[in-house]
Amino acid sequence: MRYPMNDNWLFTPLYTEALRRLPPGTPPAGLERVRIPHTVALLPVNGFSEREYQKESAYLHALTPPLSWRGRRVRLRFGAAAHQAEVFLNGESLCVHSGGYTAFTVDLTDHLRFGQPNWILVRVDSRESLNIPPFGKAIDYMTFGGLYREIALEVRGPALLEDVFVHGGADRALTIRCRGVDAEGCTLRVRVADDQGRELWRTERPFDPAVTATVPDAPLWSPEAPRLCTAVLELYRGEERMDSQTVRFGFRTVDFRADGLYLNGTKIRLRGLDRHQSWPYMGYAVPARAQALDAEILKKELGCNAVRTSHYPQSHAFLDRCDELGLLVFTEMPGWQHIGDEAWQDQAVEMVREMVLQYRNHPSIFLWGVRINESPDNDAFYRRTNDLAHELDPTRPTGGVRNFKKSHLLEDVYTYNDFVHNGTNRGCDPKRKVTPDTAKGYLISEHNGHMFPTKSFDWEGKRLEHALRHARVLNDAAGQPDIAGCFGWCMFDYNTHQDFGSGDRVCYHGVLDMFRNPKPAAAVYAAEGCEGDALAVSSTMDIGEHPGSDLGTVYAFTNADAVRLYRNGELVNEFLPGKEYPHMAHPPIPIDDRIGSQLEKKEGFSPRVAAQVRQCLLAAARYGVGALPPRILLLAAKLMLVDRLTYQRAVELFGKYVAGWGEIATSWRFEAVRNGRPVAQVTREPMQTVRLEVRVDTRTLTERDTWDMATIRIRAVDQNGGLAPFVSRAVTLTLTGEAELVGPAALPLAGGMAGTYLRTVGQAGRAELTVSAAGMEPVTLAFTIQKEGDCDATQTAADC
């Protein structure tokens, strides 16, 4: 039996030895009642110190195990504790676990007082002075603290199945490896079914730690068709079931070759982003729904087919959703640049062990990262991590992220952070210049990021350049067949230490902001990989946002064939994808002519003269009248001398068709065209009205093992639904009902965007959230909150 144990914890931000001496059943006064996942400090979005979460804190829980549990193994499973946890039962220390990114289990059996109250005390140390990864030097991300993943009490045995690994290959070969505890004389029963519930294979035999078979009807798992299977293992002694384990897995084969990644024998180009597991206010401590939402955003909103879990193993809820969606995952050991002493390295090796053992059943994982991110070569250390990963999982290759070339390559894949692109040069280096062994696989594990940090509230030109830099790297990587793919840094902005970021404890490196609202760079990924009709336009078409009132080249990001531009309802021109991105499936489309044929239609110029006038007007916008190139000056002189175009007439035309000075405001319509038919459109015109656009991932919240959470994304948009990036009003949040807000009830729009979170409080019912801002119509969201009938570990079987 598994009992969720996430409610009724008592928390104190200051651990003291006196907590070990508490009499059973007598809770101390002044402690806060909390629910898991929990963070040791709720934080502002920005402008705070990382010292606020670095502390020794404590969690207490009262447990009265029923007498019926005698003879069974009673164990407490912690999803994660950041970053060192010591677990006490009735004052006795049972376990010290170091490492904040993997689960650990504490056996309570021999120390429990059955039928009586027991105190479980957890000392959690989130200080960065610990001699464990990722600590020891500077870190470019905040590490937060707390019991931030779910906890469960397991009542099993007395014989147990441990470390179950189920692997299915593309040839339908099935391998099951497991470890038995006191399993002598037991029988193992195994059933395998597909995702439709159809039984594929079964066996019953004396317990065997290694079972192999061929399952000819098994469906294969792939990003396009992520078919999952389930294996149920049951351990029997006679007719009594001792233990059972249910494992979800996939039949698929991963193979890195010199020319890239092959899945089930088919080459796949990786196009992904790097992800931290952090949120505003809560740090790491969010429930399963929020974790799964990030996978959905990556796959469905950003069109990625891969993600790197930088720089540590992340939530199984996130990985579960990646399994279901077909999102490939590169996961790696914890760390950032620093390699510590011998004890530190021993702990790092143990972290690799825990990572592989705990995550190897996820078919989405295609690569183990067995180097500390961006660390120097250390052959003795990395032979240990590489060999261990291969021993525990011979089905997957290993890699290790570097930020320098020609490193010692002990792994199967050279993974490299390529930051060569500066906006004017190549997007990435060729493989042969980076890796010492071109016969092995190669992929780009990071690009962009700190090279061009961009805020959602930066000026339009910078936000566009940010998007184009991502496009250039995607294009150049796709043009080199021996590069398996690339991961952009990164999915969203994140909190960072004082040594990094923009001085406000934020790294603005994301294609999304911290609340998962998109910047223009997000549209590059969406156009390249999303299903459906995608169209985003880089500009609001407001001339005052640009130097010299020159809009320059406007870009459309779309998966259509072309984009038509209309000015005040009249067709200007049809534009095709830019030739500078030949290797992208759907490259950005430059729109560099907003005059089109209007000079012929409205001004009476001949086609020849119209083309020459148009060339001069666009050059004047680009260079300025005082800095025109010689060829344009010669052309302008000819127009004036031969074609009788006066300077005053040229100024009038420039104001009317280019600058817009003194003219009635222009309405622009961008129309995406596929196979000659319009499939999407965007309208840009001066803002007349502004309203709140509020998106929520769910209106039904369900308490299962613990609290549930809705993610609310807020944008200010104009009358056409276009983002109003410089509307910076305060947003007020008013909540009623059986829920609570995470974060403040008033927050600013930044880049025209904001976000908040709503969490359940343990009660079924309803809740309403009203989002309002000055001059905008309020938006009210109604939520239904329900509870599933899971039994808490503090209840007896009769109570359930």
Side-chain angles (χ1 to χ4, degrees):
M1 290 291 291
R2 176 189 174 277
Y3 301 92
M5 197 162 158
N6 299 305
D7 291 343
N8 301 314
W9 286 86
L10 299 174
F11 172 73
T12 173
L14 180 62
Y15 169 80
T16 65
E17 283 295 311
L19 293 170
R20 296 182 58 178
R21 298 187 290 273
L22 289 172
T26 306
L31 271 62
E32 178 187 3
R33 189 171 296 275
V34 301
R35 308 179 75 193
I36 310 299
H38 180 263
T39 182
V40 298
L42 280 171
L43 301 165
V45 170
N46 56 17
F48 62 92
S49 170
E50 56 269 39
R51 291 190 297 272
E52 293 184 36
Y53 63 76
Q54 294 184 41
K55 58 185 71 178
E56 280 190 286
S57 55
Y59 295 82
L60 279 162
H61 197 290
L63 174 67
T64 302
L67 298 176
S68 60
W69 288 3
R70 280 180 171 164
R72 313 290 283 183
R73 294 180 185 269
V74 182
R75 309 196 311 176
L76 198 55
R77 179 79 169 177
F78 293 85
H83 286 267
Q84 187 179 79
E86 184 173 12
V87 182
F88 303 88
L89 181 62
N90 301 321
E92 182 178 356
S93 178
L94 302 186
C95 168
V96 176
H97 180 265
S98 294
Y101 299 103
T102 46
F104 63 99
T105 300
V106 183
D107 196 325
L108 309 179
T109 309
D110 296 337
H111 308 276
L112 279 173
R113 300 164 180 166
F114 292 95
Q116 302 176 47
N118 294 257
W119 270 126
I120 298 169
L121 168 65
V122 186
R123 177 188 64 83
V124 176
D125 191 342
S126 51
R127 295 174 298 177
E128 295 183 1
S129 57
L130 294 165
N131 189 37
I132 61 174
F135 307 124
K137 201 179 177 183
I139 308 170
D140 172 30
Y141 54 92
M142 287 194 177
T143 57
F144 304 106
L147 296 177
Y148 71 89
R149 291 185 191 154
E150 289 82 351
I151 302 171
L153 196 73
E154 300 172 345
V155 183
R156 300 165 56 197
L160 299 177
L161 292 168
E162 296 285 80
D163 299 334
V164 178
F165 178 29
V166 184
H167 174 259
D171 58 356
R172 274 73 174 185
L174 175 70
T175 303
I176 300 175
R177 293 166 54 184
C178 62
R179 181 169 59 87
V181 178
D182 295 332
E184 296 82 1
C186 289
T187 299
L188 179 66
R189 301 177 185 176
V190 182
R191 301 191 310 276
V192 175
D194 66 12
D195 48 7
Q196 306 299 316
R198 180 174 59 105
E199 185 173 285
L200 300 173
W201 181 78
R202 70 162 53 224
T203 188
E204 180 173 347
R205 62 183 70 187
F207 173 75
D208 188 341
V211 175
T212 60
T214 299
V215 186
D217 295 331
L220 296 186
W221 185 97
S222 70
E224 298 74 27
R227 298 292 305 277
L228 292 165
C229 295
T230 301
V232 179
L233 286 74
E234 296 176 300
L235 192 64
Y236 278 83
R237 180 166 285 138
E239 292 304 311
E240 182 182 2
R241 189 173 71 173
M242 296 284 100
D243 196 17
S244 67
Q245 294 286 325
T246 300
V247 175
R248 197 171 64 167
F249 71 103
F251 284 84
R252 59 103 185 90
T253 298
V254 176
D255 181 22
F256 259 100
R257 304 176 192 172
D259 65 335
L261 170 64
Y262 286 76
L263 195 75
N264 303 330
T266 300
K267 187 174 181 178
I268 289 183
R269 298 286 309 185
L270 298 170
R271 183 185 59 257
L273 291 160
D274 297 273
R275 175 198 187 245
H276 276 300
Q277 60 169 18
S278 60
W279 282 259
Y281 313 128
M282 299 165 285
Y284 291 159
V286 301
R289 186 189 301 278
Q291 298 281 358
L293 177 60
D294 270 6
E296 293 172 12
I297 291 171
L298 282 161
K299 180 80 172 187
K300 297 179 180 180
E301 296 182 21
L302 297 174
C304 294
N305 65 2
V307 60
R308 171 177 166 233
T309 62
S310 49
H311 304 285
Y312 39 77
Q314 298 181 8
S315 165
H316 284 282
F318 175 73
L319 272 294
D320 286 342
R321 195 68 181 121
C322 292
D323 293 341
E324 295 161 0
L325 292 169
L327 189 64
L328 291 162
V329 179
F330 170 16
T331 198
E332 63 186 344
M333 65 189 295
W336 200 80
Q337 295 190 344
H338 170 72
I339 299 175
D341 60 17
E342 185 176 347
W344 190 100
Q345 293 178 39
D346 288 344
Q347 183 58 56
V349 172
E350 181 59 27
M351 289 175 173
V352 171
R353 179 184 302 279
E354 293 179 351
M355 174 182 72
V356 177
L357 287 176
Q358 295 173 25
Y359 288 83
R360 58 188 177 177
N361 288 312
H362 289 285
S364 56
I365 294 177
F366 71 95
L367 185 65
W368 296 121
V370 296
R371 285 178 66 109
I372 302 298
N373 173 72
E374 297 186 340
S375 62
D377 285 334
N378 186 322
D379 288 4
F381 175 38
Y382 289 134
R383 282 194 183 95
R384 294 174 66 193
T385 60
N386 196 67
D387 291 347
L388 180 60
H390 281 138
E391 174 191 342
L392 298 175
D393 180 12
T395 74
R396 288 180 179 87
T398 58
V401 173
R402 302 144 167 91
N403 58 354
F404 60 101
K405 302 174 182 178
K406 306 297 183 178
S407 164
H408 297 176
L409 182 52
L410 306 177
E411 302 82 40
D412 305 304
V413 183
Y414 199 99
T415 56
Y416 174 63
N417 293 347
D418 190 333
F419 297 117
V420 69
H421 184 55
N422 62 18
T424 61
N425 61 345
R426 61 194 181 280
C428 62
D429 277 325
K431 174 183 176 179
R432 68 181 183 277
K433 289 190 175 182
V434 179
T435 175
D437 187 349
T438 57
K440 289 187 175 183
Y442 173 72
L443 66 83
I444 298 171
S445 42
E446 293 182 26
H447 61 82
N448 281 298
H450 71 282
M451 296 297 293
F452 202 74
T454 302
K455 304 172 180 66
S456 60
F457 45 93
D458 276 329
W459 81 286
E460 184 174 286
K462 185 173 184 183
R463 286 181 280 129
L464 170 59
E465 173 61 16
H466 182 229
L468 295 179
R469 288 190 180 209
H470 277 268
R472 293 178 197 123
V473 178
L474 287 172
N475 176 74
D476 285 9
Q480 302 184 53
D482 55 358
I483 297 179
C486 58
F487 292 85
W489 188 267
C490 58
M491 181 183 175
F492 49 80
D493 300 339
Y494 56 95
N495 289 122
T496 191
H497 286 74
Q498 63 182 352
D499 318 88
F500 305 94
S502 294
D504 58 354
R505 298 304 200 275
V506 177
C507 270
Y508 294 96
H509 296 177
V511 303
L512 311 174
D513 70 10
M514 290 180 70
F515 292 101
R516 282 51 167 181
N517 293 305
K519 303 175 191 176
V524 174
Y525 289 86
E528 190 71 353
C530 278
E531 298 178 359
D533 300 317
L535 173 63
V537 177
S538 68
S539 179
T540 62
M541 307 299 284
D542 293 305
I543 60 174
E545 173 63 355
H546 297 268
S549 300
D550 176 24
L551 289 172
T553 301
V554 174
Y555 282 83
F557 305 105
T558 181
N559 53 9
D561 304 328
V563 169
R564 293 172 182 159
L565 175 64
Y566 294 83
R567 177 189 176 113
N568 296 328
E570 296 186 11
L571 178 65
V572 174
N573 210 336
E574 181 171 293
F575 299 87
L576 298 174
K579 294 182 179 179
E580 67 259 53
Y581 306 97
H583 307 296
M584 294 180 69
H586 303 289
I589 296 180
I591 298 170
D592 53 6
D593 175 14
R594 291 176 294 282
I595 301 174
S597 60
Q598 294 178 82
L599 295 175
E600 296 106 293
K601 293 179 179 178
K602 293 188 174 183
E603 307 299 334
F605 290 113
S606 69
R608 177 188 64 80
V609 173
Q612 293 174 347
V613 171
R614 182 168 57 249
Q615 189 176 356
C616 289
L617 294 178
L618 294 174
R622 180 178 182 184
Y623 300 107
V625 175
L628 290 172
R631 61 182 179 82
I632 298 297
L633 289 172
L634 288 172
L635 184 58
K638 172 187 172 300
L639 287 168
M640 290 179 179
L641 293 172
V642 177
D643 298 301
R644 308 292 184 180
L645 178 69
T646 67
Y647 181 79
Q648 183 58 39
R649 177 69 167 142
V651 170
E652 291 174 0
L653 293 172
F654 183 82
K656 184 175 182 179
Y657 291 104
V658 180
W661 285 100
E663 297 292 322
I664 296 174
T666 303
S667 174
W668 302 97
R669 180 161 57 89
F670 301 82
E671 189 176 75
V673 180
R674 183 182 298 112
N675 297 325
R677 299 182 59 185
V679 294
Q681 71 174 29
V682 169
T683 298
R684 294 283 192 256
E685 57 188 8
M687 183 189 302
Q688 304 298 325
T689 61
V690 62
R691 62 180 175 83
L692 290 170
E693 177 188 87
V694 183
R695 297 177 60 194
V696 61
D697 64 325
T698 182
R699 297 288 192 95
T700 301
L701 294 164
T702 304
E703 291 237 344
R704 292 186 173 90
D705 290 355
T706 187
W707 55 280
D708 199 4
M709 183 180 99
T711 296
I712 296 113
R713 292 183 275 178
I714 304 167
R715 301 198 314 157
V717 298
D718 65 15
Q719 67 274 13
N720 297 305
L723 177 69
F726 302 123
V727 171
S728 55
R729 301 173 195 172
V731 173
T732 301
L733 308 170
T734 306
L735 177 66
T736 60
E738 302 296 341
E740 65 183 13
L741 284 174
V742 181
L747 56 149
L749 291 169
M753 303 182 291
T756 190
Y757 305 97
L758 181 147
R759 59 175 286 171
T760 60
V761 293
Q763 300 295 324
R766 297 185 64 81
E768 278 194 352
L769 176 67
T770 299
V771 184
S772 58
M776 304 188 213
E777 190 73 21
V779 176
T780 298
L781 306 173
F783 296 87
T784 299
I785 301 165
Q786 58 193 22
K787 294 185 70 175
E788 283 193 349
D790 288 339
C791 181
D792 188 274
T794 58
Q795 300 171 285
T796 65
D799 294 327
C800 293

